[in-house]
Amino acid sequence: MRLCICFTLLSIIVCASADNVFSRATDFVRDAFGGARDMWRAYTDMREANYIGADKYFHARGNYDAAQRGPGGAWAAKVISDAREALQSLSGRGAEDTLADQEANAWGRSGGDPNRYRPAGLPGKY
């Protein structure tokens, strides 16, 4: 009888733990998709604004918005930022610009205010 009770309690604990792991994995994936959406929105806003000197602001803003969603969003922002910079560096863009973009990306992902990179005169819409 004791063995049966112990087995039942252990089963309940294991099932409760598994449900929690599944929930965390689901949250991570949901946050990652939301973070990718945030990065896309920052990119389209940057293209729409077409404002000289604003790219670092949009890098920081996209990473900031994505990271605010949680670990999944921060992960998506890092993967997208790193891939974008790797592709652009292959196209012959300067290493200094890539380094400055990555610094803005990291600043935003770490929770830093993207307005640090906001150029004067950028419309308030952004």
Side-chain angles (χ1 to χ4, degrees):
M1 180 69 167
R2 286 184 188 165
L3 183 61
C4 184
I5 292 172
C6 288
F7 182 73
T8 302
L9 289 174
L10 182 61
S11 296
I12 291 170
I13 291 169
V14 168
C15 288
S17 297
D19 187 37
N20 192 19
V21 168
F22 178 74
S23 176
R24 279 186 267 148
T26 303
D27 290 346
F28 184 90
V29 171
R30 185 189 66 235
D31 292 347
F33 276 104
R37 225 177 12 255
D38 291 332
M39 296 293 286
W40 178 254
R41 186 174 53 250
Y43 174 75
T44 57
D45 284 351
M46 180 177 68
R47 302 282 298 182
E48 179 184 305
N50 195 26
Y51 198 86
I52 294 174
D55 65 325
K56 306 298 182 271
Y57 165 73
F58 287 108
H59 280 266
R61 195 192 84 188
N63 278 271
Y64 176 84
D65 291 344
Q68 293 304 301
R69 292 182 179 274
W75 174 82
K78 179 156 181 46
V79 168
I80 291 168
S81 295
D82 289 348
R84 180 176 185 268
E85 294 306 322
L87 286 173
Q88 286 187 345
S89 65
L90 288 175
S91 70
R93 209 175 82 174
E96 291 175 6
D97 192 46
T98 296
L99 189 62
D101 285 349
Q102 286 290 44
E103 192 267 321
N105 294 336
W107 175 261
R109 264 195 316 275
S110 69
D113 184 4
N115 288 315
R116 171 184 186 180
Y117 297 98
R118 187 181 188 85
L122 181 67
K125 173 182 178 182
Y126 306 108

mmCIF file of all heavy atoms in Angstrom, residues 30-69:
data_model
loop_
_atom_site.group_PDB
_atom_site.id
_atom_site.type_symbol
_atom_site.label_atom_id
_atom_site.label_comp_id
_atom_site.label_asym_id
_atom_site.label_seq_id
_atom_site.Cartn_x
_atom_site.Cartn_y
_atom_site.Cartn_z
ATOM 1 N N ARG A 30 6.683 31.213 -28.512
ATOM 2 C CA ARG A 30 5.782 32.349 -28.739
ATOM 3 C C ARG A 30 6.558 33.671 -28.671
ATOM 4 O O ARG A 30 6.389 34.542 -29.526
ATOM 5 C CB ARG A 30 4.652 32.353 -27.702
ATOM 6 C CG ARG A 30 3.621 33.449 -27.966
ATOM 7 C CD ARG A 30 2.611 33.601 -26.844
ATOM 8 N NE ARG A 30 3.289 34.077 -25.656
ATOM 9 C CZ ARG A 30 3.259 33.480 -24.472
ATOM 10 N NH1 ARG A 30 2.572 32.383 -24.287
ATOM 11 N NH2 ARG A 30 3.914 33.989 -23.447
ATOM 12 N N ASP A 31 7.425 33.797 -27.684
ATOM 13 C CA ASP A 31 8.242 35.012 -27.558
ATOM 14 C C ASP A 31 9.206 35.165 -28.733
ATOM 15 O O ASP A 31 9.462 36.277 -29.196
ATOM 16 C CB ASP A 31 9.032 35.000 -26.244
ATOM 17 C CG ASP A 31 8.135 35.129 -25.024
ATOM 18 O OD1 ASP A 31 6.949 35.466 -25.176
ATOM 19 O OD2 ASP A 31 8.648 34.880 -23.912
ATOM 20 N N ALA A 32 9.749 34.050 -29.216
ATOM 21 C CA ALA A 32 10.677 34.104 -30.350
ATOM 22 C C ALA A 32 9.961 34.605 -31.608
ATOM 23 O O ALA A 32 10.491 35.465 -32.327
ATOM 24 C CB ALA A 32 11.298 32.732 -30.601
ATOM 25 N N PHE A 33 8.771 34.106 -31.857
ATOM 26 C CA PHE A 33 8.014 34.588 -33.016
ATOM 27 C C PHE A 33 7.644 36.060 -32.851
ATOM 28 O O PHE A 33 7.741 36.844 -33.809
ATOM 29 C CB PHE A 33 6.753 33.742 -33.245
ATOM 30 C CG PHE A 33 7.012 32.497 -34.031
ATOM 31 C CD1 PHE A 33 7.059 31.268 -33.403
ATOM 32 C CD2 PHE A 33 7.219 32.551 -35.404
ATOM 33 C CE1 PHE A 33 7.311 30.114 -34.122
ATOM 34 C CE2 PHE A 33 7.467 31.400 -36.132
ATOM 35 C CZ PHE A 33 7.517 30.170 -35.488
ATOM 36 N N GLY A 34 7.235 36.442 -31.658
ATOM 37 C CA GLY A 34 6.923 37.850 -31.401
ATOM 38 C C GLY A 34 8.152 38.727 -31.560
ATOM 39 O O GLY A 34 8.071 39.835 -32.104
ATOM 40 N N GLY A 35 9.305 38.240 -31.102
ATOM 41 C CA GLY A 35 10.552 38.987 -31.243
ATOM 42 C C GLY A 35 10.934 39.157 -32.703
ATOM 43 O O GLY A 35 11.402 40.226 -33.109
ATOM 44 N N ALA A 36 10.731 38.113 -33.494
ATOM 45 C CA ALA A 36 11.014 38.217 -34.934
ATOM 46 C C ALA A 36 10.097 39.254 -35.569
ATOM 47 O O ALA A 36 10.529 40.035 -36.430
ATOM 48 C CB ALA A 36 10.836 36.855 -35.600
ATOM 49 N N ARG A 37 8.856 39.302 -35.124
ATOM 50 C CA ARG A 37 7.913 40.319 -35.620
ATOM 51 C C ARG A 37 8.374 41.723 -35.242
ATOM 52 O O ARG A 37 8.299 42.659 -36.049
ATOM 53 C CB ARG A 37 6.524 40.031 -35.054
ATOM 54 C CG ARG A 37 5.426 40.120 -36.041
ATOM 55 C CD ARG A 37 4.032 39.776 -35.528
ATOM 56 N NE ARG A 37 3.841 39.650 -34.097
ATOM 57 C CZ ARG A 37 3.707 38.496 -33.454
ATOM 58 N NH1 ARG A 37 3.764 37.358 -34.095
ATOM 59 N NH2 ARG A 37 3.524 38.476 -32.161
ATOM 60 N N ASP A 38 8.873 41.872 -34.013
ATOM 61 C CA ASP A 38 9.393 43.174 -33.569
ATOM 62 C C ASP A 38 10.579 43.608 -34.425
ATOM 63 O O ASP A 38 10.697 44.783 -34.789
ATOM 64 C CB ASP A 38 9.830 43.115 -32.105
ATOM 65 C CG ASP A 38 8.664 42.953 -31.151
ATOM 66 O OD1 ASP A 38 7.548 43.391 -31.479
ATOM 67 O OD2 ASP A 38 8.883 42.387 -30.061
ATOM 68 N N MET A 39 11.451 42.673 -34.739
ATOM 69 C CA MET A 39 12.613 42.987 -35.573
ATOM 70 C C MET A 39 12.165 43.391 -36.981
ATOM 71 O O MET A 39 12.698 44.337 -37.563
ATOM 72 C CB MET A 39 13.558 41.785 -35.641
ATOM 73 C CG MET A 39 14.184 41.401 -34.313
ATOM 74 S SD MET A 39 15.329 42.629 -33.699
ATOM 75 C CE MET A 39 16.698 42.359 -34.800
ATOM 76 N N TRP A 40 11.175 42.693 -37.509
ATOM 77 C CA TRP A 40 10.661 43.027 -38.840
ATOM 78 C C TRP A 40 10.029 44.422 -38.834
ATOM 79 O O TRP A 40 10.233 45.203 -39.758
ATOM 80 C CB TRP A 40 9.654 41.982 -39.301
ATOM 81 C CG TRP A 40 9.073 42.314 -40.643
ATOM 82 C CD1 TRP A 40 7.830 42.779 -40.911
ATOM 83 C CD2 TRP A 40 9.741 42.216 -41.907
ATOM 84 N NE1 TRP A 40 7.674 42.980 -42.266
ATOM 85 C CE2 TRP A 40 8.839 42.645 -42.897
ATOM 86 C CE3 TRP A 40 11.017 41.823 -42.293
ATOM 87 C CZ2 TRP A 40 9.170 42.682 -44.248
ATOM 88 C CZ3 TRP A 40 11.338 41.860 -43.642
ATOM 89 C CH2 TRP A 40 10.424 42.286 -44.597
ATOM 90 N N ARG A 41 9.288 44.727 -37.788
ATOM 91 C CA ARG A 41 8.649 46.050 -37.696
ATOM 92 C C ARG A 41 9.706 47.155 -37.640
ATOM 93 O O ARG A 41 9.570 48.187 -38.305
ATOM 94 C CB ARG A 41 7.730 46.124 -36.474
ATOM 95 C CG ARG A 41 6.937 47.422 -36.415
ATOM 96 C CD ARG A 41 5.905 47.473 -35.291
ATOM 97 N NE ARG A 41 6.471 47.170 -33.994
ATOM 98 C CZ ARG A 41 6.219 46.059 -33.297
ATOM 99 N NH1 ARG A 41 5.418 45.142 -33.772
ATOM 100 N NH2 ARG A 41 6.767 45.884 -32.121
ATOM 101 N N ALA A 42 10.771 46.953 -36.890
ATOM 102 C CA ALA A 42 11.839 47.947 -36.827
ATOM 103 C C ALA A 42 12.493 48.110 -38.199
ATOM 104 O O ALA A 42 12.799 49.235 -38.620
ATOM 105 C CB ALA A 42 12.881 47.553 -35.777
ATOM 106 N N TYR A 43 12.675 47.004 -38.904
ATOM 107 C CA TYR A 43 13.277 47.066 -40.236
ATOM 108 C C TYR A 43 12.379 47.831 -41.213
ATOM 109 O O TYR A 43 12.851 48.700 -41.948
ATOM 110 C CB TYR A 43 13.549 45.652 -40.750
ATOM 111 C CG TYR A 43 14.040 45.629 -42.175
ATOM 112 C CD1 TYR A 43 15.346 46.002 -42.481
ATOM 113 C CD2 TYR A 43 13.204 45.253 -43.220
ATOM 114 C CE1 TYR A 43 15.805 46.002 -43.787
ATOM 115 C CE2 TYR A 43 13.646 45.247 -44.529
ATOM 116 C CZ TYR A 43 14.947 45.618 -44.801
ATOM 117 O OH TYR A 43 15.391 45.621 -46.099
ATOM 118 N N THR A 44 11.089 47.515 -41.211
ATOM 119 C CA THR A 44 10.186 48.207 -42.140
ATOM 120 C C THR A 44 10.050 49.683 -41.772
ATOM 121 O O THR A 44 9.954 50.527 -42.667
ATOM 122 C CB THR A 44 8.804 47.537 -42.201
ATOM 123 O OG1 THR A 44 8.224 47.482 -40.899
ATOM 124 C CG2 THR A 44 8.903 46.122 -42.783
ATOM 125 N N ASP A 45 10.061 49.994 -40.487
ATOM 126 C CA ASP A 45 10.036 51.404 -40.076
ATOM 127 C C ASP A 45 11.296 52.126 -40.549
ATOM 128 O O ASP A 45 11.233 53.277 -40.991
ATOM 129 C CB ASP A 45 9.904 51.533 -38.558
ATOM 130 C CG ASP A 45 8.497 51.250 -38.061
ATOM 131 O OD1 ASP A 45 7.578 51.112 -38.883
ATOM 132 O OD2 ASP A 45 8.339 51.169 -36.829
ATOM 133 N N MET A 46 12.447 51.461 -40.460
ATOM 134 C CA MET A 46 13.700 52.063 -40.904
ATOM 135 C C MET A 46 13.634 52.352 -42.403
ATOM 136 O O MET A 46 14.033 53.427 -42.860
ATOM 137 C CB MET A 46 14.879 51.143 -40.594
ATOM 138 C CG MET A 46 16.227 51.696 -41.028
ATOM 139 S SD MET A 46 17.626 50.641 -40.587
ATOM 140 C CE MET A 46 17.357 49.238 -41.652
ATOM 141 N N ARG A 47 13.123 51.389 -43.160
ATOM 142 C CA ARG A 47 13.016 51.575 -44.607
ATOM 143 C C ARG A 47 12.030 52.701 -44.938
ATOM 144 O O ARG A 47 12.278 53.505 -45.825
ATOM 145 C CB ARG A 47 12.573 50.278 -45.291
ATOM 146 C CG ARG A 47 13.492 49.112 -45.047
ATOM 147 C CD ARG A 47 14.709 49.147 -45.874
ATOM 148 N NE ARG A 47 14.327 49.075 -47.270
ATOM 149 C CZ ARG A 47 15.167 49.047 -48.266
ATOM 150 N NH1 ARG A 47 16.444 49.084 -48.023
ATOM 151 N NH2 ARG A 47 14.757 48.978 -49.500
ATOM 152 N N GLU A 48 10.930 52.741 -44.201
ATOM 153 C CA GLU A 48 9.926 53.772 -44.438
ATOM 154 C C GLU A 48 10.449 55.160 -44.075
ATOM 155 O O GLU A 48 10.251 56.123 -44.812
ATOM 156 C CB GLU A 48 8.664 53.474 -43.622
ATOM 157 C CG GLU A 48 7.563 54.505 -43.771
ATOM 158 C CD GLU A 48 6.400 54.198 -42.854
ATOM 159 O OE1 GLU A 48 5.868 53.071 -42.928
ATOM 160 O OE2 GLU A 48 6.025 55.082 -42.051
ATOM 161 N N ALA A 49 11.132 55.252 -42.943
ATOM 162 C CA ALA A 49 11.649 56.541 -42.488
ATOM 163 C C ALA A 49 12.707 57.066 -43.456
ATOM 164 O O ALA A 49 12.761 58.274 -43.715
ATOM 165 C CB ALA A 49 12.232 56.424 -41.083
ATOM 166 N N ASN A 50 13.563 56.166 -43.966
ATOM 167 C CA ASN A 50 14.609 56.540 -44.911
ATOM 168 C C ASN A 50 15.344 57.792 -44.420
ATOM 169 O O ASN A 50 15.493 58.770 -45.148
ATOM 170 C CB ASN A 50 14.008 56.751 -46.306
ATOM 171 C CG ASN A 50 15.056 56.787 -47.379
ATOM 172 O OD1 ASN A 50 16.137 56.222 -47.231
ATOM 173 N ND2 ASN A 50 14.750 57.468 -48.464
ATOM 174 N N TYR A 51 15.782 57.737 -43.164
ATOM 175 C CA TYR A 51 16.371 58.898 -42.498
ATOM 176 C C TYR A 51 17.849 58.660 -42.263
ATOM 177 O O TYR A 51 18.235 57.678 -41.614
ATOM 178 C CB TYR A 51 15.644 59.140 -41.162
ATOM 179 C CG TYR A 51 15.839 60.501 -40.592
ATOM 180 C CD1 TYR A 51 15.021 61.557 -40.965
ATOM 181 C CD2 TYR A 51 16.855 60.742 -39.685
ATOM 182 C CE1 TYR A 51 15.203 62.828 -40.440
ATOM 183 C CE2 TYR A 51 17.050 62.001 -39.145
ATOM 184 C CZ TYR A 51 16.219 63.034 -39.529
ATOM 185 O OH TYR A 51 16.407 64.295 -39.008
ATOM 186 N N ILE A 52 18.674 59.513 -42.778
ATOM 187 C CA ILE A 52 20.123 59.352 -42.662
ATOM 188 C C ILE A 52 20.551 59.375 -41.186
ATOM 189 O O ILE A 52 20.150 60.245 -40.425
ATOM 190 C CB ILE A 52 20.859 60.457 -43.443
ATOM 191 C CG1 ILE A 52 20.578 60.292 -44.937
ATOM 192 C CG2 ILE A 52 22.360 60.414 -43.171
ATOM 193 C CD1 ILE A 52 21.116 61.401 -45.797
ATOM 194 N N GLY A 53 21.331 58.385 -40.800
ATOM 195 C CA GLY A 53 21.863 58.312 -39.443
ATOM 196 C C GLY A 53 20.945 57.642 -38.433
ATOM 197 O O GLY A 53 21.240 57.624 -37.244
ATOM 198 N N ALA A 54 19.823 57.077 -38.901
ATOM 199 C CA ALA A 54 18.858 56.488 -37.965
ATOM 200 C C ALA A 54 18.991 54.970 -37.848
ATOM 201 O O ALA A 54 18.286 54.369 -37.044
ATOM 202 C CB ALA A 54 17.438 56.846 -38.389
ATOM 203 N N ASP A 55 19.880 54.347 -38.613
ATOM 204 C CA ASP A 55 19.925 52.892 -38.603
ATOM 205 C C ASP A 55 20.262 52.320 -37.235
ATOM 206 O O ASP A 55 19.676 51.320 -36.812
ATOM 207 C CB ASP A 55 20.854 52.355 -39.681
ATOM 208 C CG ASP A 55 22.310 52.731 -39.474
ATOM 209 O OD1 ASP A 55 22.566 53.836 -38.978
ATOM 210 O OD2 ASP A 55 23.184 51.910 -39.820
ATOM 211 N N LYS A 56 21.166 52.948 -36.500
ATOM 212 C CA LYS A 56 21.533 52.435 -35.172
ATOM 213 C C LYS A 56 20.331 52.494 -34.220
ATOM 214 O O LYS A 56 20.132 51.609 -33.400
ATOM 215 C CB LYS A 56 22.695 53.215 -34.565
ATOM 216 C CG LYS A 56 23.935 53.311 -35.425
ATOM 217 C CD LYS A 56 24.540 51.970 -35.723
ATOM 218 C CE LYS A 56 25.797 52.110 -36.546
ATOM 219 N NZ LYS A 56 25.614 52.107 -37.980
ATOM 220 N N TYR A 57 19.532 53.552 -34.345
ATOM 221 C CA TYR A 57 18.328 53.667 -33.518
ATOM 222 C C TYR A 57 17.385 52.494 -33.792
ATOM 223 O O TYR A 57 16.875 51.864 -32.863
ATOM 224 C CB TYR A 57 17.614 54.995 -33.788
ATOM 225 C CG TYR A 57 16.204 55.020 -33.251
ATOM 226 C CD1 TYR A 57 15.963 55.117 -31.888
ATOM 227 C CD2 TYR A 57 15.112 54.908 -34.110
ATOM 228 C CE1 TYR A 57 14.672 55.113 -31.387
ATOM 229 C CE2 TYR A 57 13.826 54.909 -33.621
ATOM 230 C CZ TYR A 57 13.599 55.006 -32.264
ATOM 231 O OH TYR A 57 12.321 54.990 -31.768
ATOM 232 N N PHE A 58 17.161 52.191 -35.063
ATOM 233 C CA PHE A 58 16.244 51.105 -35.401
ATOM 234 C C PHE A 58 16.823 49.746 -35.008
ATOM 235 O O PHE A 58 16.061 48.847 -34.615
ATOM 236 C CB PHE A 58 15.882 51.157 -36.886
ATOM 237 C CG PHE A 58 14.953 52.296 -37.205
ATOM 238 C CD1 PHE A 58 15.405 53.404 -37.894
ATOM 239 C CD2 PHE A 58 13.640 52.280 -36.790
ATOM 240 C CE1 PHE A 58 14.565 54.465 -38.189
ATOM 241 C CE2 PHE A 58 12.777 53.334 -37.070
ATOM 242 C CZ PHE A 58 13.238 54.425 -37.770
ATOM 243 N N HIS A 59 18.129 49.588 -35.079
ATOM 244 C CA HIS A 59 18.763 48.355 -34.586
ATOM 245 C C HIS A 59 18.471 48.208 -33.084
ATOM 246 O O HIS A 59 18.025 47.147 -32.633
ATOM 247 C CB HIS A 59 20.282 48.408 -34.780
ATOM 248 C CG HIS A 59 20.725 48.099 -36.161
ATOM 249 N ND1 HIS A 59 21.104 46.849 -36.559
ATOM 250 C CD2 HIS A 59 20.866 48.891 -37.247
ATOM 251 C CE1 HIS A 59 21.467 46.875 -37.824
ATOM 252 N NE2 HIS A 59 21.332 48.117 -38.273
ATOM 253 N N ALA A 60 18.736 49.253 -32.338
ATOM 254 C CA ALA A 60 18.530 49.201 -30.884
ATOM 255 C C ALA A 60 17.063 48.995 -30.549
ATOM 256 O O ALA A 60 16.724 48.215 -29.662
ATOM 257 C CB ALA A 60 19.057 50.476 -30.225
ATOM 258 N N ARG A 61 16.177 49.685 -31.260
ATOM 259 C CA ARG A 61 14.745 49.582 -30.974
ATOM 260 C C ARG A 61 14.206 48.192 -31.249
ATOM 261 O O ARG A 61 13.456 47.623 -30.442
ATOM 262 C CB ARG A 61 13.950 50.611 -31.786
ATOM 263 C CG ARG A 61 12.535 50.761 -31.242
ATOM 264 C CD ARG A 61 11.652 51.530 -32.179
ATOM 265 N NE ARG A 61 11.135 50.591 -33.166
ATOM 266 C CZ ARG A 61 10.450 50.938 -34.234
ATOM 267 N NH1 ARG A 61 10.231 52.210 -34.510
ATOM 268 N NH2 ARG A 61 10.005 50.036 -35.068
ATOM 269 N N GLY A 62 14.589 47.603 -32.379
ATOM 270 C CA GLY A 62 14.122 46.254 -32.695
ATOM 271 C C GLY A 62 14.586 45.242 -31.666
ATOM 272 O O GLY A 62 13.807 44.402 -31.215
ATOM 273 N N ASN A 63 15.842 45.324 -31.285
ATOM 274 C CA ASN A 63 16.382 44.404 -30.277
ATOM 275 C C ASN A 63 15.743 44.632 -28.919
ATOM 276 O O ASN A 63 15.451 43.681 -28.190
ATOM 277 C CB ASN A 63 17.902 44.557 -30.196
ATOM 278 C CG ASN A 63 18.608 43.779 -31.274
ATOM 279 O OD1 ASN A 63 18.938 42.618 -31.084
ATOM 280 N ND2 ASN A 63 18.827 44.402 -32.419
ATOM 281 N N TYR A 64 15.516 45.891 -28.568
ATOM 282 C CA TYR A 64 14.885 46.215 -27.288
ATOM 283 C C TYR A 64 13.469 45.631 -27.230
ATOM 284 O O TYR A 64 13.107 44.953 -26.261
ATOM 285 C CB TYR A 64 14.842 47.727 -27.091
ATOM 286 C CG TYR A 64 14.117 48.152 -25.837
ATOM 287 C CD1 TYR A 64 14.775 48.174 -24.618
ATOM 288 C CD2 TYR A 64 12.778 48.508 -25.876
ATOM 289 C CE1 TYR A 64 14.115 48.547 -23.462
ATOM 290 C CE2 TYR A 64 12.104 48.884 -24.725
ATOM 291 C CZ TYR A 64 12.778 48.900 -23.516
ATOM 292 O OH TYR A 64 12.110 49.262 -22.375
ATOM 293 N N ASP A 65 12.675 45.912 -28.266
ATOM 294 C CA ASP A 65 11.286 45.430 -28.279
ATOM 295 C C ASP A 65 11.233 43.907 -28.213
ATOM 296 O O ASP A 65 10.419 43.336 -27.480
ATOM 297 C CB ASP A 65 10.558 45.927 -29.531
ATOM 298 C CG ASP A 65 10.308 47.421 -29.529
ATOM 299 O OD1 ASP A 65 10.421 48.054 -28.459
ATOM 300 O OD2 ASP A 65 9.991 47.976 -30.611
ATOM 301 N N ALA A 66 12.104 43.251 -28.969
ATOM 302 C CA ALA A 66 12.109 41.791 -28.978
ATOM 303 C C ALA A 66 12.510 41.230 -27.618
ATOM 304 O O ALA A 66 11.880 40.299 -27.104
ATOM 305 C CB ALA A 66 13.056 41.279 -30.066
ATOM 306 N N ALA A 67 13.540 41.799 -27.018
ATOM 307 C CA ALA A 67 14.034 41.287 -25.737
ATOM 308 C C ALA A 67 13.030 41.503 -24.604
ATOM 309 O O ALA A 67 13.027 40.735 -23.638
ATOM 310 C CB ALA A 67 15.364 41.937 -25.384
ATOM 311 N N GLN A 68 12.190 42.512 -24.733
ATOM 312 C CA GLN A 68 11.186 42.763 -23.694
ATOM 313 C C GLN A 68 10.169 41.634 -23.613
ATOM 314 O O GLN A 68 9.471 41.495 -22.613
ATOM 315 C CB GLN A 68 10.474 44.101 -23.945
ATOM 316 C CG GLN A 68 11.370 45.312 -23.774
ATOM 317 C CD GLN A 68 12.026 45.363 -22.413
ATOM 318 O OE1 GLN A 68 11.362 45.396 -21.386
ATOM 319 N NE2 GLN A 68 13.350 45.350 -22.405
ATOM 320 N N ARG A 69 10.081 40.824 -24.627
ATOM 321 C CA ARG A 69 9.137 39.696 -24.628
ATOM 322 C C ARG A 69 9.618 38.554 -23.736
ATOM 323 O O ARG A 69 8.831 37.727 -23.314
ATOM 324 C CB ARG A 69 8.942 39.171 -26.042
ATOM 325 C CG ARG A 69 8.228 40.154 -26.921
ATOM 326 C CD ARG A 69 8.021 39.577 -28.313
ATOM 327 N NE ARG A 69 7.313 40.501 -29.133
ATOM 328 C CZ ARG A 69 5.985 40.606 -29.183
ATOM 329 N NH1 ARG A 69 5.231 39.822 -28.440
ATOM 330 N NH2 ARG A 69 5.405 41.491 -29.965
#
